[in-house]
Amino acid sequence: MAKKNTKSPDEMSFLDHLEELRWHLIRSVFAVLIIGFVAFLMKRFMFDTIILGPSQMSFPTYRFFCDVATYFGSDSAFCAEKLPFTLQSRQMAAQFSMHIWTSIWAGFILGFPYILYELWKFISPGLHPNEKKHSKGFILIASSLFFIGVLFGYYVVAPLSINFLGTYQVSEMILNEFDIDDFIGNVRTAVLACGIIFELPIIIFFLTKVGLVTPEIMKKYRKIALVIVLIISAVITPPDVTSQIIVAVPVLILYQVSIYISKMVLKREARREQKEKQKGLKKM
C-alpha cells in the first residue's frame, strides 16, 4: 500500500518525487488493465462492430461520401457493395495475441481521462494557487480534445486510408489479402495519432507557461508548421491530396487556436505579476 506523503513539494527530495510518480504510474497501469479486461470480454462488439467496422461498406463514412457523390451525379468507390480485399490471420497465436494487445490499447484510450487525472495529481502540488485556479478544467478539456481526435481518426482518417489502400491495385492479377495485424495497426495508428495531435492546444498551454513558446514564435514559424502538418497528414493518410487536406485543415485550425491560447496565458501571467507588484508596494 502506498504511503501518503505529507511533505510539501518544496520539502520532497528527488527520490520522494520518483516514489510519488511510481505510484501514479502503477495506478494508471491498473486502470488500463481493468478497462482492457472488460474490453477483452466484449470481443464480438469490439472487433465485429468497432475495429472491423471500416472494412464494411455500411460504415457511416462511406455512406456519407457516397451520398455526396450521388448528389453531384458522379461515380465513387464509396458506393461499392464491398471492399475488394480479404482479411486473414496466418499464424496460430496471431488472433489471441491480437485480442490481448487490442484490449490493452482500448484500455489506454478509454482510460485516458484517468491517466490525465493521475498526471494532474502529480504535477498540481507544484503549481501556484492561481495556476491551479485557471487550470481546473484541464482534465475535462484535454480528455475532450483527445476523444474528438480519436473520433476524427476513426471516422475520417482510418476509413479514407482503408478505402484507398484496400481498392488500390497495380494489376487485376494481384489479390489484396491483408494480414489482420496490419489492418488493426493502420486503424490504431490513425486513431492514436489524431488523438495526440488534437492535444496541441494543451501542449502549447504548458509550453507557454514554462516560457518555451510565445505567440510571436508561433506566428513566425507558421509556414514551417504548415509544412510539418502536411508531412504528418501524409504519414497518417493515404497518398492522395483530398485525404491530406481533410486531415490538415483541423490541425491548422488547432494551431491557430493554440496561438490564441498562448496569448491568453501570457496576458494572465502579466496580470498576476502586476498584482504581486502592487501587493509588494502596499506592504512597503
Side-chain angles (χ1 to χ4, degrees), residues 26-41:
I26 289 173
R27 287 192 290 269
S28 297
V29 170
F30 267 110
V32 169
L33 292 177
I34 291 171
I35 298 172
F37 178 72
V38 175
F40 185 87
L41 297 177

Side-chain angles (χ1 to χ4, degrees), residues 17 24 63 72 99 116 141 155 163 189 199 212-213 218 233 246 253 279:
H17 281 292
H24 286 298
R63 294 203 307 266
F72 287 103
H99 189 187
L116 285 179
I141 295 172
Y155 281 105
N163 186 274
T189 299
E199 291 293 312
L212 294 177
V213 171
M218 295 186 71
S233 301
I246 289 173
I253 293 173
K279 287 181 181 179

Side-chain angles (χ1 to χ4, degrees), residues 5 8 15-16 18 23 82 89 104 127 136 144 152 164-165 183 206 208 225 227 254 269 272 282-283:
N5 206 320
S8 69
L15 291 178
D16 289 331
L18 283 181
W23 282 105
K82 184 180 179 182
S89 177
I104 291 173
L127 296 178
K136 281 184 177 179
S144 299
F152 182 78
F164 177 84
L165 298 174
F183 177 87
F206 283 103
T208 303
V227 174
L254 286 172
E269 289 291 320
R272 184 173 67 83
K282 287 179 181 179
K283 289 181 181 179

Side-chain angles (χ1 to χ4, degrees), residues 60-125:
T61 305
Y62 301 143
R63 294 203 307 266
F64 171 76
F65 282 110
C66 178
D67 291 341
V68 172
T70 303
Y71 178 80
F72 287 103
S74 61
D75 296 328
S76 173
F78 294 107
C79 296
E81 294 183 3
K82 184 180 179 182
L83 285 168
F85 67 81
T86 58
L87 297 174
Q88 59 182 348
S89 177
R90 294 178 296 173
Q91 297 177 354
M92 289 188 66
Q95 292 197 52
F96 180 70
S97 176
M98 170 194 63
H99 189 187
I100 292 175
W101 281 107
T102 303
S103 299
I104 291 173
W105 280 111
F108 172 79
I109 292 172
L110 296 175
F112 188 75
Y114 183 78
I115 296 172
L116 285 179
Y117 170 72
E118 289 293 342
L119 174 64
W120 179 249
K121 282 179 66 178
F122 177 69
I123 64 175
S124 60

Side-chain angles (χ1 to χ4, degrees), residues 232-275:
I232 294 173
S233 301
V235 170
I236 66 175
T237 61
D240 65 284
V241 177
T242 304
S243 300
Q244 291 174 14
I245 291 174
I246 289 173
V247 174
V249 168
V251 178
L252 290 174
I253 293 173
L254 286 172
Y255 188 84
Q256 192 61 39
V257 170
S258 298
I259 294 176
Y260 173 76
I261 290 173
S262 184
K263 286 182 180 178
M264 293 299 297
V265 171
L266 292 181
K267 284 181 180 179
R268 285 180 178 177
E269 289 291 320
R271 283 200 296 265
R272 184 173 67 83
E273 289 177 3
Q274 189 175 3
K275 286 180 181 179

Side-chain angles (χ1 to χ4, degrees), residues 112-215:
F112 188 75
Y114 183 78
I115 296 172
L116 285 179
Y117 170 72
E118 289 293 342
L119 174 64
W120 179 249
K121 282 179 66 178
F122 177 69
I123 64 175
S124 60
L127 296 178
H128 191 276
N130 285 335
E131 292 174 335
K132 288 184 182 180
K133 180 181 176 182
H134 293 304
S135 304
K136 281 184 177 179
F138 163 73
I139 297 174
L140 177 62
I141 295 172
S143 298
S144 299
L145 286 172
F146 178 77
F147 285 125
I148 291 171
V150 165
L151 291 174
F152 182 78
Y154 179 71
Y155 281 105
V156 179
V157 179
L160 287 177
S161 300
I162 292 167
N163 186 274
F164 177 84
L165 298 174
T167 58
Y168 188 83
Q169 285 181 294
V170 294
S171 171
E172 293 184 358
M173 297 175 65
I174 303 174
L175 299 177
N176 282 334
E177 297 179 345
F178 304 135
D179 193 87
I180 185 62
D181 285 335
D182 189 39
F183 177 87
I184 293 177
N186 276 281
V187 175
R188 182 177 62 242
T189 299
V191 166
L192 289 177
C194 289
I196 294 170
I197 289 172
F198 272 60
E199 291 293 312
L200 180 62
I202 301 297
I203 295 170
I204 295 299
F205 174 85
F206 283 103
L207 290 179
T208 303
K209 293 288 287 184
V210 298
L212 294 177
V213 171
T214 64

